[in-house]
């Protein structure tokens, strides 16, 4: 096994906002609490200790014990759940949707990053205990985002008409998906283990939340991972005061709207991830999850006949807190209210929207967590690594856009110089003299000189492109092999981790996969990791 690293910003797959955050640009300092460096966790511990109610620990552990009631729990996870009652214990958290059979490969990287961070903090602060937590997004209702995974370039899809929070969905119908999955696996590699894992998770559990808990527990339970389902009445009760401030005072809406405007002033390249609403909660009941909106003095649940007066919705909140489901703006707040959490580990898109939230956390008096970019990795098989070397490429080259990579390769192997940069420089020098002449004689000719320069440069560009196309035809075999290799490693010209399911790698590595990731990925790295199987 060989490991290489390249900076995230050099991959071309991470936004300007995240690259600037990783470089700790001073303009972004107001939008996060502390940068996730080992030396900054001591102050984060002190702040969270002073700001996390002791009573919340008892509620949290009670809910976790109830959620794990019918689950085979590892000794490490039991120990971590019990530890959460003690004031010297803290969590580090990642969250993810309930994607079918984990969905994209980066599901594993998120959890591995979280487990490894907890291990490093346990070593750094032996008088404390740090618990890795996976927060299941059970209340999401975007079924089309989670009802499939990719295997061998094919989509394994769960067709079902659904509504409401996905965690409550029945697993009925997944036996058909299992049949498709098993057929596609065939008898390659570690197929029996994968089939057994899918079968036990999805065919022996009644809801998607239960199935996902089983799966994550089977993969990471030995590492002490604690899995939290926020769709819980007792946990929701801790959120009630904050729901009131959202519904009646619109605190998140006001603060986040202002933050977005300020971020846009810093850079036009900063893409805003989420926009707040005046009310950032859904009404959740049975197979219903619809937005709550203020309409003609009443609180109306969209696409229903449900209306509440201010007094009625307050009573509903007090009696049935589980019916109020946070959206993407308030879900992070919910997490930080109920957990003694220090750090959230997420992808670039997630951290981008977390950076919008600090001001409203401050306003509500809730400690804002440290934000850590999860590990990203590219797994390269031995044959793929050999091909890369034979083509005279580095792995970093393969991150280039495909047309740029092809052009680079053609120039490298061609016996004709297909780069007209020297000619363009000569042309610029010639026109420099013409500009000087026009300035001395008749300045009205400057426009004509400029037009002629542009025309001739365009002519050179066209000739260069035509020559490249001719060379591509001549060197078609090289181009074909190059594009095939890049398409294998970057399916759909996207990062491997966003396309492949873990089962595809598991077919080759089996139970060595997760230990390998745990031993290789460093949450403090701040680099994209390339793992070559040698």
């Amino acid at each position: 096994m060989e490991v290489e690293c390249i900076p995230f910003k050099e991959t071309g797959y991470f936004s300007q906002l995240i690259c600037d955050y990783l470089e700790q640009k001073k303009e972004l300092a107001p939008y996060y609490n502390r940068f996730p460096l080992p030396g900054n966790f001591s102050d984060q511990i002190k702040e969270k200790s002073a700001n996390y109610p002791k009573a919340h620990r008892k509620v949290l552990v009670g809910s976790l014990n109830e959620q794990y009631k019918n689950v085979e729990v590892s000794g490490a996870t039991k120990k971590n759940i019990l530890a959460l009652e003690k004031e010297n214990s803290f969590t580090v958290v990642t969250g993810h949707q309930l994607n079918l059979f984990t969905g994209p490969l980066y599901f594993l990287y998120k959890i591995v990053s979280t487990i490894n961070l907890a291990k490093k903090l346990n070593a750094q602060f032996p008088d404390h205990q740090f618990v890795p937590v996976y927060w299941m997004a059970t209340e999401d209702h975007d079924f089309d985002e989670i009802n499939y995974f990719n295997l061998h370039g094919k989509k394994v899809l769960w067709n079902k008409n659904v509504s409401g929070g996905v965690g409550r969905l029945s697993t009925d119908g997944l036996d058909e998906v299992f049949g498709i999955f098993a057929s596609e696996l065939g008898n390659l590699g570690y197929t029996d283990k994968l089939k057994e894992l899918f079968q036990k998770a999805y065919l022996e559990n009644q809801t998607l939340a239960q199935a996902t808990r089983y799966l994550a527990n089977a993969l990471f339970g030995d590492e002490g991972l604690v899995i939290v389902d926020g769709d819980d009445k007792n946990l929701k009760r801790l959120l009630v005061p904050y729901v009131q401030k959202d519904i009646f005072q619109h605190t998140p809406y006001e603060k986040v709207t202002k933050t977005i405007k300020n971020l846009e002033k810093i850079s036009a390249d900063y893409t805003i991830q989420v926009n707040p609403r005046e009310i950032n909660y859904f009404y959740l009941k049975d197979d219903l999850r619809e937005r709550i909106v203020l309409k003609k003095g009443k609180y109306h649940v969209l696409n229903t006949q449900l209306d509440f007066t201010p007094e009625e919705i307050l009573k509903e909140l007090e009696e049935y807190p589980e019916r109020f489901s946070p959206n993407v703006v308030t879900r992070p707040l919910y997490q930080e209210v109920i957990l003694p959490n220090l750090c959230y580990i997420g992808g670039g898109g997630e951290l981008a929207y977390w950076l919008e939230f600090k001001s409203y956390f401050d306003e509500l008096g809730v400690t804002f967590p440290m934000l850590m970019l999860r590990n990203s990795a590219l797994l390269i098989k031995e044959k793929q690594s050999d091909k890369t070397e034979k083509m005279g490429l580095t792995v970093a080259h393969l991150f280039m856009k495909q047309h740029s990579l092809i052009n680079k390769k053609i120039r490298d192997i061609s016996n004709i110089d297909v780069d007209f940069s020297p000619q363009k420089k000569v042309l610029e020098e010639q026109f420099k003299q013409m500009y000087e002449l026009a300035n001395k004689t008749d300045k009205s000719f400057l426009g004509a000189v400029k037009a002629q320069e542009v025309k001739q440069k365009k002519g050179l560009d066209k000739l260069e492109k035509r020559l490249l196309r001719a060379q591509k035809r001549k060197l078609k075999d090289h181009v074909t092999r190059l594009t095939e290799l890049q398409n294998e490693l970057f399916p759909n010209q996207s990062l491997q981790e966003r396309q492949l399911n873990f089962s595809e790698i598991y077919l080759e590595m089996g139970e060595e996969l997760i230990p390998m990731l745990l031993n290789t990925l460093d949450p403090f790295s701040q680099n994209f990791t390339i793992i070559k199987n040698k």
Side-chain angles (χ1 to χ4, degrees):
M1 200 75 66
E2 285 185 6
V3 178
E4 291 181 20
C5 292
I6 60 174
F8 282 111
K9 68 178 180 181
E10 291 182 13
T11 67
Y13 283 95
F14 292 82
S15 71
Q16 187 62 51
L17 176 59
I18 292 304
C19 291
D20 286 353
Y21 173 68
L22 293 177
E23 292 181 353
Q24 302 176 61
K25 291 286 181 73
K26 63 180 181 179
E27 293 86 356
L28 289 176
Y31 303 100
Y32 60 92
N33 199 3
R34 296 176 181 88
F35 195 77
L37 298 172
N40 288 341
F41 275 88
S42 181
D43 286 339
Q44 190 74 13
I45 289 169
K46 289 175 185 174
E47 183 180 346
K48 190 67 179 183
S49 294
N51 200 24
Y52 181 70
K54 297 176 184 178
H56 286 202
R57 291 186 181 273
K58 188 173 182 180
V59 177
L60 174 62
V61 172
S63 285
L64 286 172
N65 284 329
E66 188 65 27
Q67 290 180 18
Y68 272 92
K69 187 182 287 184
N70 299 314
V71 180
E72 190 176 331
V73 189
S74 71
T77 296
K78 276 183 184 176
K79 180 183 174 184
N80 278 339
I81 291 173
L82 287 172
L84 289 171
E85 278 193 308
K86 300 173 184 175
E87 292 179 35
N88 68 337
S89 69
F90 298 91
T91 63
V92 290
V93 180
T94 194
H96 198 65
Q97 295 170 298
L98 307 191
N99 293 74
L100 189 60
F101 211 46
T102 77
L105 184 58
Y106 69 77
F107 173 85
L108 267 63
Y109 301 161
K110 275 185 162 184
I111 294 179
V112 166
S113 300
T114 306
I115 291 169
N116 280 348
L117 177 58
K119 286 179 179 178
K120 286 182 177 290
L121 292 176
N122 278 317
Q124 185 180 348
F125 301 96
D127 294 334
H128 294 76
Q129 188 160 343
F130 302 89
V131 177
V133 170
Y134 161 45
W135 180 287
M136 295 193 296
T138 54
E139 296 179 55
D140 281 3
H141 60 257
D142 296 319
F143 183 67
D144 290 342
E145 292 184 4
I146 66 162
N147 67 339
Y148 69 94
F149 61 95
N150 297 316
L151 179 61
H152 300 146
K154 299 176 184 176
K155 183 179 279 191
V156 180
L157 181 67
W158 180 19
N159 281 311
K160 190 180 178 84
N161 290 320
V162 304
S163 59
V166 295
R168 301 181 181 190
L169 292 180
S170 167
T171 52
D172 289 348
L174 278 169
D175 52 342
E176 295 177 15
V177 177
F178 174 71
I180 296 168
F181 174 55
S183 174
E184 181 59 38
L185 284 178
N187 295 305
L188 299 170
Y190 298 87
T191 53
D192 289 344
K193 181 68 176 177
L194 285 170
K195 290 174 186 176
E196 180 187 7
L197 190 58
F198 190 104
Q199 201 161 8
K200 286 190 173 181
Y202 293 100
L203 306 189
E204 296 180 18
N205 284 283
Q206 294 182 341
T207 68
L208 189 56
Q210 292 169 357
T212 305
R213 183 187 295 277
Y214 178 91
L215 182 58
N217 189 59
L219 294 172
F220 296 104
D222 289 344
E223 298 296 329
L225 182 70
V226 173
I227 302 161
V228 176
D229 182 354
D231 190 3
D232 181 296
K233 183 172 185 175
N234 291 327
L235 294 177
K236 285 279 184 74
R237 195 168 293 285
L238 302 178
L239 189 63
V240 167
Y242 304 95
V243 181
Q244 290 178 6
K245 288 184 179 180
D246 186 278
I247 290 176
F248 296 113
Q249 298 174 27
H250 311 309
T251 303
Y253 173 76
E254 292 175 1
K255 292 295 180 179
V256 177
T257 299
K258 185 176 180 181
T259 294
I260 288 172
K261 290 178 181 177
N262 290 337
L263 282 169
E264 288 175 333
K265 288 177 185 176
I266 296 174
S267 173
D269 293 327
Y270 290 175
T271 303
I272 300 306
Q273 294 294 309
V274 296
N275 285 291
R277 299 186 182 277
E278 290 191 350
I279 297 174
N280 293 283
Y281 286 86
F282 293 87
Y283 190 77
L284 178 69
K285 189 178 178 183
D286 302 325
D287 58 353
L288 171 72
R289 188 178 187 248
E290 293 286 352
R291 281 175 48 215
I292 300 169
V293 297
L294 187 58
K295 188 177 179 181
K296 296 180 180 179
K298 287 191 175 183
Y299 294 92
H300 175 67
V301 180
L302 289 179
N303 301 313
T304 73
Q305 301 298 315
L306 292 170
D307 283 305
F308 299 92
T309 64
E311 295 76 19
E312 288 170 341
I313 202 163
L314 192 57
K315 184 181 178 185
E316 185 82 358
L317 177 59
E318 293 289 345
E319 292 183 2
Y320 305 103
E322 71 276 15
R323 294 180 182 175
F324 292 78
S325 176
N327 71 0
V328 67
V329 171
T330 49
R331 200 274 315 154
L333 177 76
Y334 179 30
Q335 170 191 297
E336 299 304 313
V337 165
I338 69 172
L339 295 175
N341 191 45
L342 303 177
C343 182
Y344 183 77
I345 298 96
E350 290 176 281
L351 297 199
Y353 69 67
W354 272 87
L355 289 169
E356 298 176 24
F357 300 157
K358 185 176 183 295
S359 62
Y360 97 77
F361 271 67
D362 291 345
E363 180 70 18
L364 296 175
V366 178
T367 298
F368 197 67
M370 299 165 89
L371 303 177
M372 177 175 279
L373 185 64
R374 65 166 173 83
N375 287 114
S376 284
L378 174 64
L379 306 179
I380 302 181
K381 300 175 187 175
E382 186 173 3
K383 286 183 179 179
Q384 294 167 332
S385 183
D386 290 343
K387 286 179 184 177
T388 304
E389 290 175 9
K390 285 177 182 176
M391 290 183 190
L393 297 169
T394 66
V395 177
H397 288 140
L398 295 172
F399 281 84
M400 296 170 68
K401 298 298 182 186
Q402 194 162 90
H403 70 277
S404 299
L405 177 61
I406 292 170
N407 288 347
K408 173 191 166 21
K409 185 61 182 172
I410 294 299
R411 287 189 172 102
D412 287 347
I413 63 177
S414 176
N415 55 4
I416 301 173
D417 190 359
V418 200
D419 184 1
F420 283 5
S421 297
Q423 287 84 353
K424 289 175 187 174
K425 285 183 180 179
V426 170
L427 192 66
E428 286 171 359
E429 285 298 320
Q430 290 174 342
F431 274 94
K432 186 179 178 182
Q433 295 173 16
M434 293 184 191
Y435 284 125
E436 290 174 358
L437 184 61
N439 262 320
K440 290 177 181 177
T441 54
D442 189 344
K443 291 184 179 181
S444 65
F445 280 100
L446 285 170
V449 174
K450 180 66 177 174
Q452 191 63 29
E453 181 186 14
V454 170
K455 182 180 179 181
Q456 292 196 31
K457 281 185 176 179
K458 284 182 178 178
L460 282 175
D461 285 339
K462 286 180 181 178
L463 286 172
E464 186 178 35
K465 288 175 183 176
R466 286 184 65 181
L467 191 54
L468 272 171
R469 284 197 295 270
Q471 285 298 93
K472 285 177 189 177
R473 288 194 295 271
K474 187 176 177 181
L475 302 169
K476 186 178 178 182
D477 181 55
H478 291 279
V479 172
T480 300
R481 285 189 286 119
L482 178 60
T483 54
E484 284 177 352
L485 175 61
Q486 192 185 46
N487 289 340
E488 285 177 16
L489 294 172
F490 294 82
N492 298 320
Q493 297 186 39
S494 176
L495 288 177
Q496 179 192 72
E497 63 185 33
R498 296 178 186 171
Q499 300 292 320
L500 266 60
N501 180 259
F502 86 97
S503 59
E504 200 156 330
I505 311 297
Y506 195 97
L507 283 172
E508 296 185 20
M509 298 189 66
E511 293 184 356
E512 294 179 8
L513 172 60
I514 289 175
M516 181 275 291
L517 294 174
L518 288 164
N519 290 329
T520 304
L521 299 179
D522 178 3
F524 289 113
S525 166
Q526 294 189 42
N527 285 300
F528 196 104
T529 306
I530 297 148
I531 304 171
K532 297 179 182 178
N533 189 13
K534 286 285 190 179

